[in-house]
Amino acid sequence: MMQGNLYSMRETFGRLLAELGETEKDLIVITADVGDSTRAMYFREKFKDRYFNVGISEQDMVNFAAGLAAVGKKPAIVNFAMFLMRAWEQIRNSIARMNLDVKMFVTHAGYSDHGDGSSHQALEDITLMRVLPNMKVIVPADPKDIERSLPVIIKERGPIYYRMGRDYSPPITVGQEYDFKIGKAYVIKEGSDLVIMGAGVVLWDALKAAEELEKMGISTAVINLFSIKPIDEDTIEYYARKTGRVITIEEHSIYGGIGSAVAEVLAKRYPVPMRFIGATTFGRSARSQRDLLDYYNINYKSIIREAIDLVK
């Protein structure tokens, strides 16, 4: 699961999902011809009778999952984030509208499918999913967060969109001690002058920026917004009041994404100056996910620039 000093999100997820299949007897995994790429194959190897590949047919996959949930099974859709968006209408009408117990586990989100370019890079999916009534949206920061949350997610009732990358995952929350709860944010660094809020692998940049800002005398908190919907309004308000300045960072569009979710909370609770770091256009092909994060200025250097401007 570890490559040098990096970890694989999909590898951790796939192996743990197969382990959970031992005790969750009603768990059924459905893919659309991406079982190997998403590592759902580990579940297939253990439970062939509870694994279905519907082919490149995402809309059918969603409706099939809805039917299984309607008769009391626990279907888990496992797919690329971008490909699942082809079935947004079916997710809306067949799953969210009926509040069915379907889990949607997506890999290759954000820029993580760096080699295949913009057609495969989901930068709008959080927006599309959090707008749906009944839908919960969860974004783990690293494989340790997957280990914390996946057993909880499987047992939770109702539709959940669970967003992961591919193989680029620095160790962000290793050594942190917290139990995952839906609707809860986690403080991974304390600070009093500024707070950085975000989710996913870019929290590595948040921590790196906070470390550099401390050297400049700017005390910086970092919040892991693990649960995007429902979101932890109390923690967001507390740190906005404590620091008076908020920066959000996400491997996703700034339009309707995590920054927007934070701004919605603070607009009604405690408005403060904010800066938003994230995508503003489509992606492109590159040699690595990190190259793309740097190319689009979704990195610690951008956070530092915005932080200095905010403090001034």
Side-chain angles (χ1 to χ4, degrees):
M1 298 183 200
M2 185 172 179
Q3 304 163 353
N5 62 344
L6 300 178
Y7 294 80
S8 170
M9 299 281 269
R10 60 176 175 168
E11 194 76 20
T12 301
F13 160 75
R15 292 187 184 279
L16 184 53
L17 186 68
E19 288 177 22
L20 291 169
E22 300 279 3
T23 53
E24 299 292 337
K25 301 300 184 183
D26 286 330
L27 181 61
I28 296 172
V29 170
I30 313 163
T31 73
D33 219 28
V34 290
D36 289 358
S37 298
T38 59
R39 300 302 189 259
M41 63 185 184
Y42 295 126
F43 194 92
R44 179 185 67 212
E45 290 167 2
K46 278 190 170 186
F47 312 105
K48 289 183 179 178
D49 59 332
R50 289 194 274 146
Y51 177 94
F52 295 90
N53 177 11
V54 302
I56 303 173
S57 185
E58 289 82 4
Q59 294 161 330
D60 290 334
M61 175 177 63
V62 169
N63 284 334
F64 179 35
L68 289 170
V71 296
K73 298 299 182 182
K74 293 177 72 72
I77 290 169
V78 183
N79 216 63
F80 281 29
M82 191 64 249
F83 297 167
L84 188 58
M85 295 306 102
R86 298 178 65 203
W88 188 85
E89 178 191 343
Q90 286 70 30
I91 294 169
R92 177 194 184 273
N93 285 332
S94 298
I95 294 177
R97 196 165 57 92
M98 301 302 174
N99 199 22
L100 292 176
D101 187 17
V102 178
K103 306 304 185 293
M104 286 158 277
F105 297 108
V106 299
T107 63
H108 296 69
Y111 296 115
S112 63
D113 195 353
H114 53 85
D116 289 323
S118 60
S119 65
H120 285 53
Q121 293 163 1
L123 298 169
E124 312 84 10
D125 53 320
I126 292 174
T127 302
L128 289 168
M129 301 311 288
R130 80 179 187 92
V131 76
L132 292 173
N134 298 319
M135 186 67 67
K136 298 180 178 73
V137 179
I138 308 298
V139 183
D142 57 11
K144 192 65 181 175
D145 263 356
I146 293 175
E147 292 171 3
R148 291 184 180 100
S149 59
L150 199 59
V152 177
I153 294 298
I154 292 294
K155 291 186 180 298
E156 180 76 7
R157 299 289 298 177
I160 296 178
Y161 184 76
Y162 189 95
R163 184 188 202 251
M164 295 167 283
R166 187 173 178 260
D167 293 325
Y168 169 79
S169 180
I172 296 164
T173 70
V174 175
Q176 296 276 328
E177 293 186 10
Y178 55 83
D179 295 323
F180 170 76
K181 293 181 181 177
I182 292 173
K184 186 81 176 70
Y186 299 92
V187 182
I188 53 180
K189 184 186 175 302
E190 278 289 0
S192 57
D193 298 324
L194 170 79
V195 61
I196 308 166
M197 301 183 183
V201 297
V202 291
L203 283 172
W204 179 88
D205 289 273
L207 288 168
K208 175 71 172 173
E211 180 185 337
E212 295 301 316
L213 289 166
E214 294 284 348
K215 296 174 185 176
M216 304 175 196
I218 301 172
S219 177
T220 306
V222 178
I223 310 294
N224 179 3
L225 294 176
F226 204 155
S227 178
I228 307 302
K229 185 188 173 194
I231 202 163
D232 189 343
E233 296 194 2
D234 290 341
T235 296
I236 290 170
E237 180 187 355
Y238 175 83
Y239 278 88
R241 288 181 180 274
K242 181 179 180 179
T243 67
R245 307 170 183 90
V246 174
I247 294 175
T248 61
I249 184 166
E250 55 195 303
E251 190 188 10
H252 182 274
S253 172
I254 61 171
Y255 308 114
I258 294 169
S260 296
V262 172
E264 288 162 15
V265 173
L266 295 180
K268 65 181 180 181
R269 286 214 179 191
Y270 191 75
V272 296
M274 290 186 65
R275 298 290 187 274
F276 306 89
I277 296 173
T280 57
T281 186
F282 291 110
R284 58 184 288 173
S285 297
R287 289 194 177 94
S288 73
Q289 185 174 354
R290 186 70 239 178
D291 284 349
L292 286 169
L293 290 170
D294 289 338
Y295 181 83
Y296 289 108
N297 295 311
I298 305 173
N299 58 19
Y300 71 93
K301 294 177 183 177
S302 293
I303 297 175
I304 292 169
R305 284 195 298 270
E306 296 290 356
I308 292 170
D309 184 56
L310 265 181
V311 170
K312 285 180 180 177

